[in-house]
Amino acid sequence: MAANKLLLTDLVPTLKQVPSNYIRHISDRPNLSDVHVSDVSSIALIDLQDLYGPNRSDIVKQIALACQLDGLFLVKNHGISENIINNMLRVARDFFQLPETERLKNYSDDPSKANRLSTSFNVRTEKVANWRDFLRLHCYPLEDHVHEWPSNPPSFREDVAEYCTGVRGLVLRLLEAIAESLRLKRDHLDKTLSKHGQHMALNYYPPCPEPELTYGLPGHTDSNLITILLQDEVPGLQVLRNGKWIAVNPIPNTFIVNIGDQMQIISNDRYKSVVHRAIVNCNKERISIPTFYCPSADALISPATELIDDDHPAVYRSFTYGEYYHKFWNTGLATECCLDMFKTSST
């Protein structure tokens, strides 16, 4: 029976319309006709070629402006080769094309499981499903997790490990620049993260017969510190800017950098965690691969003391990242942002 399929990928071939559990209330649909498309100048595209050269201060200023205005920017000349990127996209696509029985060896609906294949967002708590399957992998420290990753396709572990290592290097370079842009010590963010955490999702959005009725993922912010997003060539990402949804269409060999909730908190609201969503289409499958860089669960998070003064009181209380992450997963994507739950009583 098609209705008993655990994964959307295996259900879609039987569908001519969207099942009722995926249909959003009429007030909560994508309204695809009211979306602006970003041109090259509307979302910052930052060239990292000279990040360690004479133009570093200019690049840091560009990053500061993008974090303040949009909470999002693109990067090029980021140090990760085209070959590593192409291998990552290929092996992700190959994984979702494996036979159902092979893929399901990795299935779990338990959000606390570090490495798992699942569907939607949190099937245990959500009321409306999202048009997405995903493979979630923890990837730092690599040696703690690689043995739990899928062993099929055969090159999966090697290709993904190489990609994870490259992305972590990029993140650490960006965190230094972002700390500088806030006039904090260069290692401030690195130290705040305690032991660090890195995980990723291989998102698979199958073609949808009625894309105007549902989402790949509805509007939300990311709970972590910073997200590095790799997209294939199919559009789908949209970000909220001044109350309008902007489509951020793919540019080959670039990454999208999202500011997450923890960065908004540490910056004491100087930088913003971007609200974004994934829409689907009726013609093409889409793959996106976000890497979520975050504090370890024991890390104590609060606004940086250097960013608190009489004119800028602390907006948020102190908490452990484990507390925040637990709240984020249990709240699901029903609310766009968890941040309000962690504000001080005076804000």
Side-chain angles (χ1 to χ4, degrees):
M1 289 273 301
N4 293 331
K5 296 289 187 186
L6 288 170
L7 296 170
L8 181 63
T9 307
D10 305 307
L11 181 62
V12 162
T14 69
L15 298 177
K16 297 221 170 11
Q17 57 192 44
V18 171
S20 60
N21 60 314
Y22 287 90
I23 296 176
R24 295 270 159 183
H25 186 273
I26 197 162
S27 64
D28 183 32
R29 292 180 187 170
N31 192 9
L32 300 174
S33 61
D34 189 27
V35 172
H36 301 250
V37 177
S38 66
D39 57 34
V40 173
S41 62
S42 77
I43 301 285
L45 173 57
I46 299 176
D47 188 341
L48 299 181
Q49 183 79 50
D50 284 340
L51 186 58
Y52 292 97
N55 294 328
R56 183 176 178 88
S57 62
D58 288 343
I59 296 169
V60 167
K61 283 177 191 166
Q62 291 175 50
I63 289 172
L65 191 60
C67 292
Q68 289 166 18
L69 294 179
D70 289 320
L72 169 132
F73 53 95
L74 291 92
V75 292
K76 65 178 182 178
N77 292 319
H78 39 64
I80 300 173
S81 74
E82 188 174 352
N83 187 52
I84 289 174
I85 289 171
N86 289 340
N87 285 345
M88 182 67 243
L89 287 168
R90 174 189 47 75
V91 83
R93 185 165 279 108
D94 288 351
F95 174 82
F96 285 104
Q97 289 174 351
L98 289 171
E100 180 180 9
T101 52
E102 184 64 30
R103 276 179 285 116
L104 286 176
K105 291 175 183 176
N106 305 283
Y107 182 84
S108 172
D109 65 4
D110 179 2
S112 68
K113 195 168 185 292
N115 300 285
R116 68 190 181 102
L117 175 67
S118 195
T119 193
S120 191
F121 180 74
N122 185 346
V123 294
R124 292 185 175 184
T125 60
E126 64 201 5
K127 293 182 173 64
V128 184
N130 302 297
W131 200 265
R132 166 185 90 135
D133 289 339
F134 64 93
L135 178 66
R136 183 169 287 272
L137 304 173
H138 279 236
C139 28
Y140 183 77
L142 262 177
E143 59 273 15
D144 290 354
H145 298 288
V146 172
H147 65 281
E148 294 183 2
W149 293 356
S151 55
N152 202 4
S155 68
F156 187 92
R157 292 178 179 178
E158 181 183 348
D159 290 339
V160 177
E162 188 174 27
Y163 177 80
C164 288
T165 302
V167 169
R168 181 167 186 266
L170 171 60
V171 167
L172 296 177
R173 294 190 293 277
L174 286 171
L175 292 185
E176 286 188 346
I178 292 169
E180 256 180 82
S181 76
L182 288 165
R183 299 185 178 169
L184 300 170
K185 288 182 180 174
R186 205 184 263 199
D187 64 356
H188 181 96
L189 294 170
D190 178 18
K191 287 184 170 172
T192 302
L193 299 179
S194 186
K195 296 185 286 291
H196 292 225
Q198 180 183 345
H199 51 103
M200 65 193 294
L202 281 57
N203 292 325
Y204 180 75
Y205 303 100
C208 176
E210 298 170 294
E212 69 281 2
L213 299 181
T214 190
Y215 290 106
L217 284 171
H220 65 285
T221 61
D222 289 345
S223 68
N224 52 295
L225 185 75
I226 189 173
T227 302
I228 308 294
L229 179 70
L230 173 62
Q231 304 188 84
D232 70 4
E233 72 284 356
V234 179
L237 174 69
Q238 299 180 350
V239 299
L240 192 62
R241 177 199 270 172
N242 301 325
K244 294 279 188 188
W245 287 104
I246 311 287
V248 185
N249 290 342
I251 300 174
N253 296 313
T254 64
F255 290 103
I256 294 166
V257 181
N258 277 16
I259 296 305
D261 292 354
Q262 306 313 303
M263 191 75 80
Q264 179 164 332
I265 291 162
I266 293 167
S267 74
N268 205 30
D269 274 357
R270 282 166 171 76
Y271 292 172
K272 67 187 236 185
S273 183
V274 62
V275 178
H276 56 288
R277 68 185 188 182
I279 57 128
V280 290
N281 72 84
C282 53
N283 298 316
K284 291 183 177 177
E285 63 184 13
R286 174 175 177 258
I287 286 175
S288 74
I289 304 172
T291 295
F292 306 100
Y293 211 84
C294 49
S296 51
D298 65 321
L300 195 63
I301 305 298
S302 63
T305 53
E306 298 90 331
L307 303 178
I308 300 169
D309 56 35
D310 290 343
D311 294 327
H312 306 92
V315 180
Y316 303 95
R317 65 175 175 86
S318 295
F319 54 88
T320 64
Y321 182 63
E323 180 189 352
Y324 196 97
Y325 193 65
H326 178 75
K327 188 83 75 179
F328 175 80
W329 269 96
N330 284 330
T331 305
L333 301 177
T335 55
E336 286 177 352
C337 196
C338 261
L339 286 165
D340 291 346
M341 300 179 200
F342 291 84
K343 288 188 171 177
T344 60
S345 54
S346 60
T347 55

